[in-house]
Amino acid sequence: MQPGQEIDIPNRPITRRRPVAARPASAAGAGASVPVDNGPTFGNGASVVGAKGGRKTGWILTTILLLLIAAGGVGFGVWAYMDGNTQKDQLNSQISTLQQQNNDLQEQIEEMAAKNNTTGSAGDNANMEGDTFASMEESDFIVLDEWGVKIRIGTPFVYVAKSMKEDCDGSTCSIRITALTEEMKEIVDKYPDLGVEDIVHDLAIVKTKESELERYPGEMIKPIFNDGEYNYFVLVPSGLSLSSELSIDESSLITKAFDAFVEKVNTAENYSKI
């Protein structure tokens, strides 16, 4: 018998069955119900509105964080700029200080060099640097008319010269003097481009009311002459130097003559008032 075929039973009325529509099977299997969309829920289950609000809050926090980072970057840049300017000002200040120290040291070096060209603590009073001699003249005396004193030189010296100015500090004054033999005069004439002070040695006569004078550190000397008011001292430079253009023989001749000149001015009998 084929399915759906009616069975014919004698003496029984035939009843026709009404066909029943087949229920479609769900994708999840028989008996599973299809969920009904009742709209957003507010009490039970996750809320669609709540989910959107969470994402919005996240964006806000991210934006705030980025703004804070940006503000920190700007602040760091401003600090770095200001700190850079501060360091620049400090460096400029240090440079200025070093330049001033260099100038001060240079002045001290020049002062020490000037003192080394003299002897003792007479200092600027016996400063022989930077002066030029007046024209030489033939004479047996070095006449210090501004002081009212003269010094006899004599043989073998024929020419004398003194500095064009005297250096004074209060009652203490000094002046440079020198004397030349005929041979020394010939050497001077041989080098017209050089000054007299570059060719011959000289010394300083100091006039002061002090009774003693320090020629070298710790070495005090007595005056050579007294004119009734002032004492006269002889200061011989400790470092004697001549122009490198001179020959060895010329330098030797000048140095020997200078030793004789020093002996002349260190003799009290050679001093007298004008």
Side-chain angles (χ1 to χ4, degrees), residues 226-258:
N226 180 275
D227 64 2
E229 183 179 5
Y230 290 94
N231 290 317
Y232 293 81
F233 298 83
V234 176
L235 294 181
V236 181
S238 57
L240 299 175
S241 61
L242 297 173
S243 172
S244 59
E245 296 185 30
L246 301 178
S247 67
I248 296 176
D249 291 339
E250 291 170 340
S251 297
S252 176
L253 185 151
I254 291 171
T255 301
K256 288 180 180 179
F258 180 72

Side-chain angles (χ1 to χ4, degrees), residues 57-73:
T57 302
W59 278 109
I60 292 174
L61 293 176
T62 301
T63 302
I64 292 174
L65 180 60
L66 292 175
L67 290 174
L68 290 174
I69 294 173

Side-chain angles (χ1 to χ4, degrees), residues 81-233:
Y81 175 77
M82 296 178 65
D83 185 65
N85 287 338
T86 300
Q87 293 181 356
K88 180 180 179 181
D89 293 339
Q90 291 176 349
L91 289 174
N92 288 336
S93 177
Q94 291 177 359
I95 291 172
S96 298
T97 301
L98 290 174
Q99 289 177 340
Q100 183 60 44
Q101 291 176 352
N102 181 66
N103 292 336
D104 294 341
L105 288 174
Q106 187 63 35
E107 291 179 359
Q108 292 178 10
I109 291 173
E110 292 176 356
E111 290 177 0
M112 291 177 65
K115 290 180 179 179
N116 285 336
N117 287 331
T118 65
T119 54
S121 62
D124 293 338
N125 297 329
N127 187 355
M128 297 183 183
E129 184 178 359
D131 271 352
T132 55
F133 284 104
S135 59
M136 292 180 293
E137 59 183 23
E138 191 171 354
S139 174
D140 290 334
F141 292 87
I142 294 178
V143 181
L144 305 178
D145 45 9
E146 56 269 83
W147 294 355
V149 172
K150 61 182 180 179
I151 306 171
R152 184 179 184 86
I153 301 301
T155 308
F157 298 99
V158 181
Y159 301 92
V160 298
K162 63 180 180 180
S163 58
M164 299 177 63
K165 66 176 183 178
E166 59 177 332
D167 294 324
C168 294
D169 182 11
S171 61
T172 299
C173 294
S174 66
I175 193 168
R176 294 165 55 186
I177 62 173
T178 191
L180 294 81
T181 64
E182 287 288 358
E183 292 81 0
M184 294 171 67
K185 178 67 165 53
E186 291 176 1
I187 296 174
V188 171
D189 294 338
K190 181 179 176 181
Y191 299 93
D193 295 334
L194 297 177
V196 175
E197 63 272 17
D198 297 321
I199 299 177
V200 300
H201 298 304
D202 57 71
L203 52 80
I205 300 295
V206 178
K207 180 186 76 169
T208 179
K209 292 184 177 181
E210 299 292 333
S211 59
E212 289 184 325
L213 201 62
E214 188 177 30
R215 180 168 56 182
Y216 300 109
E219 180 185 352
M220 306 301 293
I221 60 174
K222 298 293 183 179
I224 302 299
F225 175 71
N226 180 275
D227 64 2
E229 183 179 5
Y230 290 94
N231 290 317
Y232 293 81
F233 298 83

